[in-house]
Amino acid sequence: MKVLIVEDNTNLADVIGMGLSMEGMQAKAVYDGRDAVEELDNGEYDMVILDRDLPGVHGDDIARMLNERHASTYVLMLTAASQTEDIVQGLNLGADDYLTKPFEYAVLLARVNAVRRRKERNRVSTFHKGDFEADFHTGIVAVSGRRLRFGARELAVLQTLIEANGGVVSTEELYQRIWHDDHAHTRGIVKTTIYALRTKIGIPDFIETIPGQGYRIP
C-alpha cells in the first residue's frame, strides 16, 4: 500500500514513514502542502496521512481537492486541532478518519492497517475476458485453456492494469507500485515487462498503449 505522509514536523513525518516502511508499505513523507499537491497530481496513493496546518497549501484545501476529484485515496487527518467542531469540519471536508495529536503510534498503525485490509479485500482476484482468464490467488493465467508462466512482477503489472477497470495506468505509477524499492532498475523495465506480457498472452491489442499517458486493458 502506498502512503503519503504530509506533515511539517519533519521528525514526526520521518518516524511515521520509517515505521510504515518497516510494515512493508511504500511510505513517502513531504513537509509542505505544495509538495503534497505535486505528489498527488503525479502519482496515485492509497492513503494520505494529512496534517491540517501546513505551509504552502493548507491541509483542508488538500482534503477538499481530493474530495472534489472523487479520488479513491483514503485521507486520515492527523492534527492538533482537537475540538469537536474541528473534527466535524475535517470530516466534512472529505477526511475519512481523524486522529488528534498527541497520539499513540500503535493507534495510528492500527488505523492504517485497517485501511490496508480493506484495500486488499477489494483487490481483483479473478478476471475473464474472451479466451483470457486469470486467478491471482493461485497465480494461474491461461489463454484458450493453455496455462502461461508469469513472474511475480509480471503478474503484479497485469493485476494493476486489470484493477484500473479500463482506465489508463501510467509508466510512473506502475514503476512506483511494483519496483519502488528496487534501485537496480530504471523505468524502462515497465516497457520491457509490458512487452513480455503481450508476447506471452498473444492476444492482439489486449494491452493498449495510450501515447503520452500509459497502458490499459480496455
Side-chain angles (χ1 to χ4, degrees):
M1 188 168 80
K2 287 184 68 177
V3 182
L4 181 66
I5 302 134
V6 189
E7 168 63 62
D8 62 347
N9 181 328
T10 57
N11 289 333
L12 176 60
D14 291 344
V15 166
I16 294 172
M18 186 181 303
L20 297 183
S21 295
M22 290 174 65
E23 295 291 327
M25 302 182 211
Q26 301 176 46
K28 180 170 184 177
V30 295
Y31 318 113
D32 180 284
R34 286 185 296 264
D35 292 338
V37 171
E38 183 177 349
E39 280 292 323
L40 293 167
D41 282 342
N42 293 329
E44 182 179 336
Y45 283 86
D46 298 298
M47 184 175 189
V48 177
I49 298 174
L50 181 66
D51 191 13
R52 294 186 74 173
D53 192 13
L54 292 167
V57 178
H58 199 277
D60 288 358
D61 294 325
I62 295 172
R64 190 180 293 110
M65 175 192 77
L66 289 170
N67 190 44
E68 289 173 352
R69 288 181 183 177
H70 303 287
S72 60
T73 305
Y74 190 97
V75 177
L76 168 61
M77 279 190 172
L78 181 64
T79 173
S82 58
Q83 298 300 313
T84 299
E85 55 267 29
D86 296 321
I87 298 172
V88 170
Q89 182 187 43
L91 294 172
N92 286 337
L93 284 168
D96 299 285
D97 200 354
Y98 200 102
L99 185 60
T100 60
K101 301 174 183 175
F103 64 95
E104 294 289 339
Y105 177 74
V107 174
L108 173 66
L109 180 60
R111 295 190 182 196
V112 174
N113 279 329
V115 175
R116 179 160 63 170
R117 288 193 298 271
R118 192 175 307 130
K119 291 276 186 181
E120 289 174 350
R121 283 198 298 269
N122 291 335
R123 297 213 71 185
V124 169
S125 57
T126 59
F127 179 76
H128 184 273
K129 180 181 179 182
D131 293 330
F132 177 91
E133 53 187 332
D135 185 329
F136 292 103
H137 280 315
T138 62
I140 295 174
V141 181
V143 174
S144 300
R146 178 175 60 90
R147 183 171 174 177
L148 308 178
R149 292 187 177 275
F150 290 112
R153 282 175 168 159
E154 290 174 335
L155 282 172
V157 169
L158 185 61
Q159 187 173 17
T160 300
L161 292 173
I162 289 170
E163 288 177 343
N165 196 29
V168 178
V169 184
S170 69
T171 297
E172 181 65 24
E173 182 177 342
L174 288 169
Y175 183 80
Q176 290 295 333
R177 281 183 174 273
I178 297 162
W179 287 274
H180 65 97
D181 59 352
D182 189 345
H183 302 297
H185 295 289
T186 67
R187 281 149 183 78
I189 192 64
V190 176
K191 184 177 181 179
T192 302
T193 303
I194 294 291
Y195 176 80
L197 287 172
R198 286 172 169 156
T199 301
K200 291 178 180 181
I201 292 169
I203 299 174
D205 301 322
F206 184 82
I207 300 175
E208 287 188 352
T209 298
I210 309 300
Q213 298 182 48
Y215 305 96
R216 70 169 185 161
I217 296 178

